[in-house]
């Protein structure tokens, strides 16, 4: 799929959804063959740390809980994308990155500083990607960590910057970890910290119910957009974060996706679908 310049995969899906509301139905009649179960790859951003903690909660315990939930649910290897800047103030957090790796889970690059490509130069972007590599090499010297997730999913605010960023990633052997499903899970983590501090039981129930409701709503939205654009369920790539409330909710979230009929696959398996073809070879 050739995407318009400076448009993320999620934005493209949204644009197609809006445009389709004004177009007559077209295409072949629906197949009578039973549909294959939709596939989903979990991914996590912002390792080793994301968002506030509940009172008295150790930072490492968040990742311990996420890893335990992935193992209990028999999930396939799950990528987490790292930012190295956190190690400047908290050097011990390299052990959290190592904890993810030692649990048999793969790592990817999310830039060192988590700066937005829309607000920095392409040269700055390239340096920030490379600055993360010594950490990845130190923790996982033989791993397939040449997977890249754009901070804030921003691919550049100009065509020239977007092309320069893609060319840099191509030249350094990176594959882009697109996102085709998200429900902005990070929005609940701050509120969870506040409710935990206040011991607000009603607030906790609201967070619990609204988190799952949002995830369920975005399943429907994402699948509808995929049908509009591709006429099928693509293998979805879900964006999550290593947040405190995410850790609490992960077992129920996995159960929700299973209840909705999803089977779970790895990021490389999902990204191999033609829907995620990035026009790296077309970069000038």
């Amino acid at each position: 799929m050739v995407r318009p310049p400076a448009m993320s995969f999620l934005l493209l899906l949204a644009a197609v959804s809006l445009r389709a509301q004004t177009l007559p139905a077209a295409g072949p009649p629906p197949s009578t063959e039973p549909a294959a179960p939709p596939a989903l790859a979990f991914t996590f951003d912002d390792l080793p740390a994301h968002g506030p903690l509940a009172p008295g909660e150790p930072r490492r315990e968040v990742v311990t809980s996420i890893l335990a939930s992935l193992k209990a649910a028999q999930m396939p290897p799950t990528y987490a994308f790292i930012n190295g800047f956190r190690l400047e103030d908290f050097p011990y957090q390299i052990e959290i990155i190592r904890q993810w790796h030692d649990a048999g889970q793969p790592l990817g690059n999310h830039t060192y500083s988590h700066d937005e490509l829309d607000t920095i130069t392409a040269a700055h972007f390239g340096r920030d990607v490379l600055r993360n590599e010594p950490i990845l090499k130190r923790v996982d010297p033989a791993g397939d960590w040449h997977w890249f997730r754009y901070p804030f999913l921003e691919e550049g605010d100009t065509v020239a910057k977007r092309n320069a960023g893609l060319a840099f990633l191509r030249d350094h052997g990176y594959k882009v970890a697109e996102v085709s499903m998200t429900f902005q899970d990070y929005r609940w983590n701050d509120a969870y910290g506040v409710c935990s501090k206040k011991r607000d039981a009603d607030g906790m129930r609201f967070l619990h119910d609204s988190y799952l409701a949002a995830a369920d709503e975005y399943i429907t939205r994402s699948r509808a957009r995929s049908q509009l654009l591709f006429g099928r369920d693509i293998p979805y790539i879900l964006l999550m974060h290593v947040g405190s409330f995410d850790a609490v909710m992960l077992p129920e979230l996995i159960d929700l996706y299973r209840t909705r009929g999803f089977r779970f696959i790895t990021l490389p398996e999902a990204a191999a679908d033609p829907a995620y073809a990035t026009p790296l070879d077309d970069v000038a």
Side-chain angles (χ1 to χ4, degrees):
M1 177 191 69
V2 177
R3 294 173 294 162
M7 180 177 286
S8 73
F9 193 87
L10 283 173
L11 287 176
L12 176 58
L13 290 178
V16 170
S17 179
L18 289 172
R19 182 170 181 267
Q21 295 175 20
T22 66
L23 296 176
S31 171
T32 58
E33 294 293 325
L40 179 68
F42 269 70
T43 64
F44 288 84
D45 279 10
D46 298 351
L47 195 71
H50 171 86
L53 296 167
E57 181 180 35
R59 178 63 69 181
R60 183 166 183 162
E61 184 55 36
V62 173
V63 171
T64 299
S65 177
I66 291 172
L67 289 170
S69 296
L70 293 174
K71 182 177 180 180
Q74 298 182 318
M75 299 290 281
T78 302
Y79 268 84
F81 295 87
I82 77 163
N83 304 118
F85 77 93
R86 301 183 187 279
L87 305 185
E88 295 177 11
D89 293 329
F90 305 100
Y92 80 91
Q93 289 187 1
I94 194 169
E95 295 304 323
I96 298 178
I97 299 174
R98 186 171 283 118
Q99 177 186 8
W100 190 273
H101 167 262
D102 290 351
Q105 307 290 6
L107 300 168
N109 197 330
H110 198 32
T111 75
Y112 184 87
S113 303
H114 205 279
D115 288 338
E116 305 170 51
L117 181 53
D118 285 9
T119 63
I120 60 176
T121 66
H124 181 152
F125 170 77
R127 290 192 298 270
D128 212 32
V129 173
L130 294 179
R131 196 176 177 191
N132 234 12
E133 290 192 353
I135 301 169
L136 290 161
K137 290 176 182 176
R138 178 178 171 188
V139 174
D140 191 14
D144 183 18
W145 45 258
H146 278 85
W147 283 90
F148 180 78
R149 170 73 48 76
Y150 285 97
F152 304 103
L153 305 183
E154 293 181 0
E155 299 181 8
D157 57 331
T158 67
V159 172
K161 189 187 294 184
R162 176 179 181 271
N163 285 351
L166 285 172
F168 174 88
L169 294 173
R170 175 200 63 198
D171 293 345
H172 289 81
Y174 280 95
K175 296 151 285 191
V176 176
E178 297 277 14
V179 173
S180 51
M181 189 179 292
T182 179
F183 59 96
Q184 299 181 331
D185 64 297
Y186 61 88
R187 292 181 179 273
W188 278 262
N189 287 307
D190 285 352
Y192 174 66
V194 173
C195 289
S196 296
K197 186 175 182 179
K198 293 182 177 181
R199 299 184 179 180
D200 181 353
D202 290 338
M204 286 292 196
R205 280 191 292 271
F206 173 79
L207 292 179
H208 170 277
D209 294 346
S210 61
Y211 185 97
L212 293 176
D216 197 38
E217 177 184 350
Y218 276 85
I219 290 171
T220 301
R221 289 190 184 189
S222 298
R223 295 189 70 184
R225 290 169 178 170
S226 180
Q227 289 292 338
L228 284 169
L229 185 54
F230 300 105
R232 63 184 174 92
D233 274 306
I234 63 172
Y236 299 96
I237 300 173
L238 175 68
L239 169 61
M240 297 288 295
H241 296 79
V242 289
S244 189
F245 195 58
D246 290 306
V248 171
M249 295 300 298
L250 186 56
E252 290 186 73
L253 183 65
I254 293 172
D255 286 345
L256 170 65
Y257 287 112
R258 280 207 166 105
T259 299
R260 291 293 300 267
F262 285 89
R263 61 187 178 89
F264 301 114
I265 60 174
T266 66
L267 168 63
E269 288 173 322
D273 190 274
Y276 295 108
T278 302
L280 293 177
D281 294 336
D282 295 338
V283 176

